[in-house]
Amino acid sequence: MDLTHVRRLIDLLATAPVTELEVEEGGCRIRITRGGGAQPEVAPSVPPAVVAHTPVAATPQAAPPVAEEAVVTAPSYGVFHLSPAPGAPPFVTVGQEVQAGQEVGLVEAMKVFNAVRAGQAGKIAAVLVEDGTEVEAGTPLFRLA
């Protein structure tokens, strides 16, 4: 499991109504938990030396792989805006298809506006933050399906 995949799992946990997530993939098992008010904690359930040498047997009737949902995050600290100006229509709405690199929102800090861009193509599955909310860099803003 690579670091990008682990970060996506942490982002997913941050937006999901659960406090614990356990994933087993390619002989590696990882458990991520979220405590009240604390940052998500990443802890392997098996010591790393054992994980590297313990093959995981595939079940004969394994479920088909589920497509991962991507999360669009805030590029910096500031106030999140869904539209380019007050009263203007939003950049995107739930159910809308977006392309990689497409502008989907803005983050304003000290009158400087940073574009929020989709990292990959997909469909807006959910808007995770309300317009006008103060966000930190890396805050999940949209979920793509």
Side-chain angles (χ1 to χ4, degrees):
M1 225 178 286
D2 63 24
L3 187 56
T4 303
H5 186 65
V6 173
R7 285 183 179 159
R8 285 183 183 165
L9 291 172
I10 291 170
D11 288 341
L12 178 62
L13 181 67
T15 60
V18 296
T19 58
E20 184 173 321
L21 177 68
E22 186 168 342
V23 177
E24 186 171 314
E25 179 179 293
C28 180
R29 181 180 301 162
I30 187 166
R31 192 177 94 215
I32 305 169
T33 59
R34 176 178 58 196
Q39 291 295 324
E41 173 186 319
V42 178
S45 59
V46 180
V50 175
V51 171
H53 301 291
T54 306
V56 177
T59 58
Q61 295 178 329
V66 177
E68 278 189 40
E69 291 184 333
V71 177
V72 178
T73 59
S76 62
Y77 164 82
V79 176
F80 174 64
H81 297 286
L82 282 168
S83 59
F91 286 102
V92 293
T93 57
V94 173
Q96 182 177 339
E97 293 285 335
V98 295
Q99 301 302 315
Q102 180 178 338
E103 190 170 355
V104 294
L106 293 171
V107 174
E108 173 191 9
M110 298 179 61
K111 301 297 179 192
V112 174
F113 292 86
N114 292 312
V116 177
R117 299 191 183 277
Q120 68 184 52
K123 184 186 284 188
I124 300 291
V127 178
L128 305 173
V129 177
E130 290 184 32
D131 188 47
T133 302
E134 193 172 306
V135 297
E136 297 287 333
T139 300
L141 303 174
F142 298 94
R143 191 171 59 242
L144 299 178

